[in-house]
Amino acid sequence: MTDLFDFNPPPPLYAVMGNPVDHSLSPRIHTMFAQQFGIQLDYRRIHVDAGGFGQAVDGFRATGGQGLNVTVPFKIEAWDLADERTDRSRLAGAANTLSFKNGIIRADNTDGVGMCRDVSRNVRFEVAGKDVLVIGAGGAVRGVLGPLLGKHPANTVIANRSVDKAESLAELFACRGSIKTDGFEQLVGYSFDLVINGTSASLQGELPPLPEGLFNAGALAYDMVYQREHTPFLRWAAEHGAAHLADGLGMLVEQAAESFYVWHGKHPDTGPVVDTFRRGRGES
Ligand code: NDP
């Protein structure tokens, strides 16, 4: 007979949903954070087919799920599904973090704060007063523009393959700071202190058609994509005058740390987690 006092409740359930999601480092990152505080949790990867996001979230909640990270391509659907939205997710119009409590779905977006913390704390680059180029106008850029403009760059330009999307974003964020928009060919003759690649081109092994002379002396090239090797954008930047290179690993860990704070009310130490992944791919 089972002794009632031997019963251990299962650890609280969290997950990342996306498509594709097999590559996601989020389960390992959240498990490492939880170990820092002696918190028990069960964090899973859930692959969701197109059109199945709402049903997948319902199923996850029914099995006791407490929090979800959401990745490509479901961040807007996640936002639509929510009963409550934080200001930063409202501004982004997309959610990468959902919390389930008392029957309520609360949407948040930690991508922007994650990138800004990585740039300032890990890369140690000061955005204030600098000329910044953001390449891309998808969900990730929409998430980072508010926090980025909050760092008071001198000038901000958004360049995107579909210029109309860049123009919509510039209009949306006009109240937060002045943004100029351009197609790639109009960038000729301009140079920047910080160039952020917020496109998914690196995932396809591609590079947006960027002109030469884009980097000022001491400039930082930042790719939101994280890969084992340098991305095509970072390789190109190194060959075309960028003084410093950073990939999306730091952003990934910092946005996860903010999600962890949303769910557990504790700020994990991100440095050791970034170091673990960098060592894992042979960086010192
Ligand atoms: P979206 O699909 O919403 O947007 C994709 C963007 O990339 C669009 O601006 C699109 O241009 C552009 N693009 C795609 N392919 C090309 C190409 N070959 N040449 C030029 N532009 C291209 O994706 P997200 O915004 O959600 O994500 C963008 C990237 O950021 C992803 O690779 C994702 O992995 C990464 N990311 C990283 C995070 C991290 O923590 N490190 C967090 C969030 C995202 P167009 O509008 O013309 O189609």
Side-chain angles (χ1 to χ4, degrees):
M1 204 171 90
T2 314
D3 187 335
L4 275 179
F5 295 104
D6 284 345
F7 175 73
N8 283 323
L13 182 61
Y14 296 86
V16 55
M17 282 187 186
N19 183 352
V21 79
D22 295 350
H23 65 286
S24 174
L25 298 178
S26 294
R28 287 179 63 196
I29 295 172
H30 278 268
T31 302
M32 283 190 253
F33 289 162
Q35 284 164 352
Q36 293 181 7
F37 301 101
I39 292 174
Q40 301 290 317
L41 52 77
D42 175 359
Y43 191 112
R44 302 177 182 178
R45 283 184 197 94
I46 301 177
H47 176 100
V48 177
D49 289 325
F53 182 71
Q55 204 180 350
V57 172
D58 287 346
F60 182 71
R61 289 172 82 193
T63 54
Q66 304 207 356
L68 257 188
N69 284 128
V70 182
T71 184
V72 181
F74 300 116
K75 290 184 184 181
I76 293 171
E77 270 185 76
W79 191 85
D80 283 339
L81 215 62
D83 304 297
E84 290 178 358
R85 300 175 180 102
T86 60
D87 286 347
R88 60 191 179 189
S89 94
R90 210 180 286 278
L91 189 63
N96 74 336
T97 305
L98 296 180
S99 309
F100 309 109
K101 214 173 179 184
N102 304 327
I104 298 283
I105 304 179
R106 185 172 167 83
D108 203 343
N109 190 313
T110 66
D111 283 337
V113 73
M115 194 202 80
C116 287
R117 274 192 199 146
D118 182 43
V119 167
S120 59
R121 289 184 190 172
N122 304 331
V123 185
R124 297 182 183 279
F125 183 89
E126 177 64 63
V127 172
K130 299 287 174 31
D131 290 335
V132 177
L133 170 63
V134 181
I135 307 163
V141 168
R142 197 170 153 147
V144 304
L145 272 181
L148 184 70
L149 292 167
K151 296 274 180 192
H152 308 294
N155 296 295
T156 307
V157 176
I158 307 180
N160 192 45
R161 185 172 59 182
S162 318
V163 181
D164 56 324
K165 285 196 202 163
E167 284 167 352
S168 305
L169 277 193
E171 257 174 55
L172 194 65
F173 286 88
C175 57
R176 302 272 166 155
S178 143
I179 305 179
K180 192 172 167 298
T181 54
D182 272 330
F184 296 129
E185 52 298 338
Q186 276 97 46
L187 292 171
V188 176
Y190 289 94
S191 60
F192 301 88
D193 305 303
L194 169 60
V195 179
I196 299 168
N197 182 17
T199 74
S200 48
S202 290
L203 290 181
Q204 305 133 25
E206 291 176 6
L207 177 71
L210 300 168
E212 307 223 342
L214 215 48
F215 298 99
N216 287 336
L220 167 65
Y222 190 101
D223 200 331
M224 288 193 202
V225 170
Y226 161 63
Q227 292 174 338
R228 286 189 77 82
E229 309 291 332
H230 270 333
T231 63
F233 169 71
L234 292 181
R235 287 201 300 273
W236 178 87
E239 288 162 9
H240 289 81
H244 307 284
L245 308 176
D247 67 16
L249 176 62
M251 173 177 176
L252 183 69
V253 174
E254 295 294 343
Q255 61 79 26
E258 185 68 8
S259 294
F260 190 90
Y261 176 72
V262 167
W263 293 329
H264 306 285
K266 293 180 190 307
H267 287 293
D269 187 0
T270 52
V273 177
V274 172
D275 288 347
T276 299
F277 287 111
R278 294 228 183 274
R279 277 199 304 276
R281 66 178 191 187
E283 295 175 29
S284 53

